[in-house]
C-alpha cells in the first residue's frame, strides 16, 4: 500500500511525499508524485503517538487487572491517535499489582485498537512527602527483588519504572534495574546532588516533570536541574491544568528533543464529570479536572495525547517539536525507537493522517487502517 500526496513527518521535519507499507512495515519513502492507493490530499502523515504514562480511560484502569477492560482502553487510545501505550500502574500492594501484571501480559490487541508496548510501574517505590495522589499505605522502599517479581509476572514487559532515589536503597535499585528497563525519577524530594547521583547510577528519565517534585529553585535546582544537566528525557503533562503554559514553553526551550508529552490519564478520561477511583482512593472530576476527593490534590488527567498536541501548539510550541514529543521522544525514552515513533524504512507502519487543524483523519496500526 502507498499513502501518497502527503505532508510526511520525517526526521523532525515535514516533506511532501509518499510512504510505502508492506506486511505492517514501512518499506520506502518516496516523492509525492508516486501513484498511490490512499490519497492523503496534502494532510499531515505522522507516526502514531506513543503514551508512556497512562493509567486508564473510559472507566477502566490498568491497575484493576480486569482483562475485559484492556480492549476498551486500546480502542480509546487508537481513537485519539495513540498507537502504542505503556500500561501504567499505581502505588498498590504486590498482591494487587501481580494480577494486573498477568492481565497486561495476556492482553491481545483487538484488530481496531492500539498496541500495549509494555508497562510503566509508577510506584510503589515513591516518596511519602511527594506521593501526590498515590496511596500512602501502599508505598514501598525501592526493592529490586519486588521489581523482578513484578517484571516476571508481566512476562518481562516492564519498560519504565518510577523511583524516588532519596529513599533507602534508591541508588542500588537504580543500578540493579536500569540495565533491564528505563528508570525514571519521580514522586520525589531528591535534591540536585541526589538526583545527579541517580542519573549517574543509570536513571535516564523524569516522571511528570514539575509535578510531584521540588520546584526549580535558583540555589536548589533539584530534579529539574539535574535532569537538564544529565541529558535525561522528561515527561510533561500538557492538559493545561497541571502545568502553566509558560512553564511548558520554558521546559520546551530547556529540554528540546528530550521532552516527552504524556497524558497521565485516569479512568475518568472520556467520561462525564463525577466520582471515580484511583489506586484505591476516591477521586472526583469537575470540569475535566480530577482531584483526590475533598482536596485540591491533582490526581492525573482526563486528557489524551491528541488533545495535548493541540494544546501545546496553541501555547506556542512549534508543531514539529510537539510531534517529536508525542512520537520519537517517548519511543526513545523507553528504548523502543528501533520499532516505533518515527517514519523510517523498517519501522512499524503505525501512522496517522492529521487534518490541518490537527484533528484525526485516519489511524493505521501495523499498516492496517483501523480508523
Ligand atoms: C497519578 C499521579 O500520581 N498523578 C500526579 C499526582 O499524584 C500529583 O498530585 C499531581 C500534581 O502534582 P503537584 O501538586 O506536585 O504539581 O500530578 C499528577 O497528577
Amino acid at each position: 500500500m502507498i499513502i501518497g500526496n502527503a505532508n510526511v513527518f520525517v526526521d523532525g521535519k515535514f516533506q511532501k511525499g509518499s510512504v510505502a507499507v508492506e506486511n505492517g512495515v514501512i518499506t520506502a519513502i518516496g516523492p509525492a508524485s508516486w501513484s498511490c492507493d490512499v490519497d492523503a490530499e496534502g494532510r499531515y502523515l505522522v507516526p502514531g503517538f506513543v503514551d508512556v504514562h497512562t493509567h486508564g480511560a473510559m472507566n477502566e484502569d490498568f491497575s484493576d487487572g480486569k482483562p475485559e477492560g484492556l480492549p476498551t482502553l486500546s480502542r480509546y487510545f487508537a481513537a485519539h491517535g495513540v498507537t502504542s501505550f505503556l500500561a501504567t500502574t499505581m502505588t498498590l500492594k504486590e498482591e494487587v499489582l501481580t494480577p494486573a501484571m498477568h492481565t497486561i501480559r495476556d492482553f491481545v490487541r483487538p484488530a481496531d485498537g492500539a498496541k500495549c508496548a509494555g508497562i510503566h510501574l509508577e510506584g510503589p517505590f515513591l516518596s511519602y512527602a511527594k506521593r501526590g495522589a498515590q496511596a500512602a499505605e501502599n508505598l514501598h522502599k525501592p526493592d529490586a527483588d519486588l521489581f523482578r517479581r513484578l517484571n516476571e509476572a508481566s512476562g518481562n514487559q516492564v519498560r519504565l519504572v518510577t523511583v524516588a532515589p532519596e529513599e533507602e536503597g534508591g541508588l542500588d535499585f537504580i543500578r540493579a534495574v536500569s540495565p533491564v528497563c528505563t528508570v525514571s525519577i519521580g514522586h520525589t524530594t531528591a535534591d540536585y546532588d541526589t538526583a545527579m547521583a541517580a542519573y549517574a547510577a543509570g536513571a535516564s528519565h523524569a516522571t511528570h516533570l514539575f509535578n510531584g517534585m521540588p520546584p526549580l529553585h535558583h540555589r536548589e535546582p533539584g530534579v529539574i536541574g539535574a535532569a537538564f544537566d544529565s541529558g535525561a528525557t522528561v515527561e510533561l503533562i500538557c492538559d493545561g491544568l497541571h502545568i502553566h503554559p509558560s512553564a511548558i514553553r520554558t521546559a520546551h526551550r530547556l529540554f528540546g528533543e528530550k521532552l516527552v508529552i504524556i497524558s497521565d490519564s485516569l479512568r475518568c478520561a472520556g467520561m462525564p464529570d463525577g466520582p471515580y477511583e484511583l489506586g484505591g482512593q476516591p477521586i472526583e472530576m469537575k470540569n475535566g479536572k480530577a482531584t483526590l476527593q475533598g482536596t485540591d490534590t491533582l490526581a492525573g488527567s482526563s486528557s489524551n495525547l491528541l488533545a495535548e498536541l493541540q494544546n501545546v501548539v496553541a501555547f506556542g510550541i512549534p508543531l514539529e517539536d510537539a510531534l517529536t514529543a508525542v512520537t520519537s521522544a517517548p519511543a526513545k525514552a523507553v528504548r523502543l525507537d528501533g520499532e516505533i515513533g518515527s517514519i523510517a524504512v523498517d519501522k512499524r507502519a503505525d501512522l496517522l493522517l492529521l487534518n490541518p487543524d490537527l484533528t484525526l483523519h485516519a489511524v493505521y496500526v501495523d499498516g492496517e487502517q483501523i480508523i
Side-chain angles (χ1 to χ4, degrees), residues 53 55 90 122 130-134 187 208 210-213 237 242 264 266 278 297-301:
H53 190 152
H55 299 277
M90 290 288 290
E122 191 186 18
K130 287 291 179 185
R131 68 192 182 285
Q134 307 271 352
H187 285 279
H208 46 54
F210 298 116
N211 303 118
M213 62 180 61
I237 308 173
H242 276 76
D264 199 8
L266 315 177
L278 173 69
T297 302
L298 280 169
S301 91

Side-chain angles (χ1 to χ4, degrees), residues 65-144:
K66 230 176 83 188
E68 57 284 16
L70 270 63
T72 305
L73 285 164
S74 154
R75 291 189 180 102
Y76 169 86
F77 294 127
H80 295 88
V82 174
T83 52
S84 294
F85 58 89
L86 291 193
T88 305
T89 50
M90 290 288 290
T91 291
L92 291 157
K93 300 264 191 256
E94 184 174 4
E95 46 284 20
V96 178
L97 287 173
T98 303
M101 297 296 114
H102 291 153
T103 303
I104 300 163
R105 177 196 63 196
D106 297 339
F107 166 68
V108 179
R109 176 177 83 83
D112 55 350
K115 300 171 184 175
C116 179
I119 292 169
H120 176 176
L121 290 177
E122 191 186 18
F125 314 118
L126 310 178
S127 137
Y128 175 82
K130 287 291 179 185
R131 68 192 182 285
Q134 307 271 352
E137 65 273 23
N138 299 333
L139 292 167
H140 200 291
K141 296 276 174 230
D143 179 345

